[in-house]
Amino acid sequence: MSESKRICLLPGDGIGPEITAEAVKVLEVIGAREGVRFEFDEALLGGIAIDETGSPFPEETLAKAHAADAVLLAAIGGPKWDTTDPTKPRPEQGLLGIRKALGLYANLRPVKILDALNDASSLKAEYLEGVDMLIVRELTGGLYFGASGREDGVEGAASGGGEGMRAYDTMEYREYEIERIVRVAFDAARTRGKKVHSVDKANVLESSRLWREVAHRVAADYPDVEVVDQLVDNTAMQLVRWPAQFDVMVTENMFGDILSDEASMLTGSLGMLASASLGDGTALYEPSHGSAPDIAGQGIANPLAMLLSVEMMLRYSFEMHEAADRLAAAIEAVLADGWRTRDIADASTLPQKMVGTKAMGDLVAEKL
Ligand code: IPM
Ligand code: MG
């Protein structure tokens, strides 16, 4: 009798369904080889969920996610649902909703340079030497989840005076929220380069000053790990000046959102950045990129961030480390052979080695 693992699939919007198909393809090969039966249970999230149910995060999706051993999410959102009207549902509410509902406070985004992609980076190869970092982004608090709203008829809010509209978002953290995410970072650093950059804006923000105090309290439990406080604006600069200085970086939700997009360009493309969102229950895996509506349906999206997210799922949720290593090696081998999707192609890419989403998935599956 073979072991079975239930995966809740959330293909979402845009290129989501295309890259999800490649993940399923690759998981089926891995399952057959490892004697593990992966059972897929598809559910709605984001724009498609709004279209079909009116809600970006239907009840049924939460139930399926809870019932699964892991959740694999592709991407959500698109211009079709973009609105600034606060009374209309938005796909992003689905994503934030499932993160919160599953208690996924720790978002791990590894940034590793694959030799084959040195030339795809926007930085010169010499700056990429030794780059291997893990961004630990707090995911269920901070600016994304603090009090927010709009108020009409606010005296003096209109240009030129008079009544107008005020809108606000609040960055707030409780001690325990900071402590648990900082611990994730220190625990990870212990298994890696033993250095943690705690990124904040303590020269301006009160929530950052609390962040810094708590980070240092936690650091005392990890005398073997070096801790560096770094201001977020400086971090944005250091990421392109000397990215190899980072081992583990831990930061507030929105800071991490911004810095991880920036860091993804070191690898050559946002299409290469995977992520794992962990909490105390079922974990969720998703590429860090969006739904790329501009190229949706064309079969040219890069499925590798999705496949690298599958790799993280095999490691963190299923403890299938050998299979994960094999998947990582297969991806590297395909790239080393010169195969490229459009986003990671460079001047040296042979035209006959430019492939689409499906072909890239096939190549990885074959190498397995
Ligand atoms: C990400 C994305 C999301 C975020 C969006 C789609 C809500 O940018 O996962 O980084 O801001 O967290
Ligand atoms: Mg983002």
Side-chain angles (χ1 to χ4, degrees), residues 150-324:
R150 283 186 186 217
E151 201 185 339
D152 208 356
V154 174
E155 197 52 54
S159 21
E163 287 187 357
M165 189 85 88
R166 180 180 89 95
Y168 60 95
D169 301 277
T170 317
M171 190 186 287
E172 58 170 84
Y173 272 105
R174 285 161 183 71
E175 278 184 89
Y176 82 90
E177 294 175 301
I178 304 171
E179 173 155 357
R180 64 185 179 181
I181 191 73
V182 170
R183 275 194 195 282
V184 169
F186 275 90
D187 285 337
R190 270 202 168 145
T191 69
R192 305 172 35 105
K194 301 199 164 46
K195 185 154 90 171
V196 171
H197 279 78
S198 173
V199 175
D200 63 37
K201 187 70 185 174
N203 54 346
V204 177
L205 302 175
E206 201 55 50
S207 56
S208 281
R209 286 189 282 271
L210 180 62
W211 182 285
R212 197 173 277 209
E213 281 171 26
V214 174
H216 281 265
R217 203 193 297 152
V218 172
D221 293 340
Y222 299 80
D224 51 323
V225 178
E226 182 192 348
V227 57
V228 182
D229 296 308
Q230 200 170 64
L231 297 173
V232 62
D233 49 345
N234 184 25
T235 304
M237 182 272 278
Q238 297 292 344
L239 270 173
V240 285
R241 189 185 82 100
W242 178 30
Q245 73 186 276
F246 298 105
D247 173 31
V248 176
M249 175 192 298
V250 62
T251 193
E252 188 272 336
N253 202 341
M254 171 154 256
F255 295 164
D257 178 46
I258 297 171
L259 294 174
S260 59
D261 262 33
E262 186 190 359
S264 77
M265 280 321 289
L266 302 170
T267 70
S269 168
L270 193 46
M272 295 298 299
L273 200 67
S275 92
S277 301
L278 312 175
D280 299 321
T282 310
L284 180 148
Y285 301 84
E286 59 167 316
S288 301
H289 59 68
S291 61
D294 52 323
I295 59 165
Q298 297 177 33
I300 58 173
N302 182 354
L304 293 181
M306 183 70 163
L307 298 185
L308 290 165
S309 301
V310 167
E311 181 207 330
M312 295 187 87
M313 178 169 73
L314 294 171
R315 278 188 210 289
Y316 290 98
S317 283
F318 302 154
E319 308 237 334
M320 294 172 66
H321 296 286
E322 267 172 44

Side-chain angles (χ1 to χ4, degrees), residues 10 45-46 56-57 62 73 76 90-105 109 137-146 148 169 253-254 257 277 284 286:
L10 304 172
L45 190 81
F57 181 32
L62 180 59
L73 163 66
I76 53 98
R90 280 174 296 108
E92 291 75 14
Q93 293 166 333
L95 182 55
L96 301 190
I98 196 169
R99 286 172 179 172
K100 194 73 172 179
L102 295 179
L104 306 171
Y105 61 85
R109 299 188 162 183
R137 170 186 175 193
E138 199 291 324
L139 203 60
T140 52
L143 196 53
Y144 275 48
F145 289 94
S148 71
D169 301 277
N253 202 341
M254 171 154 256
D257 178 46
S277 301
L284 180 148
E286 59 167 316

